[in-house]
Amino acid sequence: SNTVASSQTLVIRRDVLDAIGGWDVDMPRLVDYDCVIRLARKGPLAFVDEPLVLQFFSHDSMTHNRDLRVRARERIIIKNSDLLAQYPGAQAHIYRVIAGEHRLLGNFSQARKACVQALRLRPANLRLWVLAAYLTFRVAFAGR
C-alpha cells in the first residue's frame, strides 16, 4: 500500500505530541513524516484505510522542491538511525528514494552513495544492483 502520513489527517493527543517534542521546525520538508516516525516510538499507530483528504499541488508547491525533500529524508535517517536499524527494509527504501532524488537532481555521486547504503541492507535486490550500475557509470563518465 502507498499509505502516506499527512499532517491534514493526523489526529494526535496534545500530551503525546508534547512528549515527542512537537513538530521539528528544523526539518526542511516532510515534517509530518518525521512526526509519525517519532510517534511510532511511543507505541502502535492506528489508521483509517480509506481516503479522507484530497490533496492538490501547484507547480510551485514547496512539496515539489526535490532538494529540500532529499535533505529532509537524509535528516530523518540520521535522526532515527536506531529505530530504522530495526527495519532494514524500510531503511533501504528510504535510501533508494534518496538515491532517486539525487539522480534526478544530477547529483550522481550522492545518488550512488545512497544506493550503496540501500544495497548493504538489501543485497538481493536486483533493481538496486541495476541502479547502482547505472549510477557508477554516470559517476565514472560525468566529466567526459
Side-chain angles (χ1 to χ4, degrees):
S1 151
N2 287 331
T3 304
V4 176
S6 182
S7 54
Q8 303 99 312
T9 60
L10 290 176
V11 178
I12 309 166
R13 285 193 347 244
R14 179 60 190 237
D15 63 317
V16 175
L17 186 61
D18 289 343
I20 65 165
W23 303 101
D24 182 350
V25 296
D26 293 326
M27 286 293 295
R29 293 290 182 271
L30 307 174
V31 177
D32 41 8
Y33 185 40
D34 172 68
C35 182
V36 169
I37 291 173
R38 290 183 293 122
L39 285 168
R41 292 175 178 276
K42 295 294 183 186
L45 303 175
F47 69 97
V48 176
D49 194 14
E50 63 182 83
L52 300 175
V53 174
L54 292 176
Q55 195 171 19
F56 296 95
F57 298 101
S58 62
H59 71 282
D60 61 346
S61 168
M62 67 182 197
T63 302
H64 289 295
N65 187 320
R66 183 167 279 118
D67 183 54
L68 293 178
R69 270 198 332 260
V70 74
R71 286 194 288 154
R73 282 190 173 89
E74 290 167 340
R75 181 175 163 90
I76 284 169
I77 283 184
I78 291 167
K79 285 177 63 176
N80 298 286
S81 61
D82 61 326
L83 179 65
L84 290 170
Q86 299 172 42
Y87 303 96
Q91 189 175 18
H93 173 75
I94 296 170
Y95 275 121
R96 187 194 56 75
V97 172
I98 289 170
E101 289 184 336
H102 274 305
R103 179 186 62 83
L104 292 171
L105 287 166
N107 303 331
F108 298 110
S109 180
Q110 292 97 323
R112 185 179 178 284
K113 287 177 188 174
C115 187
V116 167
Q117 289 294 98
L119 269 172
R120 286 185 179 136
L121 296 161
R122 288 292 187 240
N125 187 313
L126 180 60
R127 293 178 82 192
L128 286 174
W129 281 105
V130 170
L131 179 59
Y134 168 77
L135 293 170
T136 299
F137 175 81
R138 289 301 303 253
V139 169
F141 295 100
R144 296 179 186 194

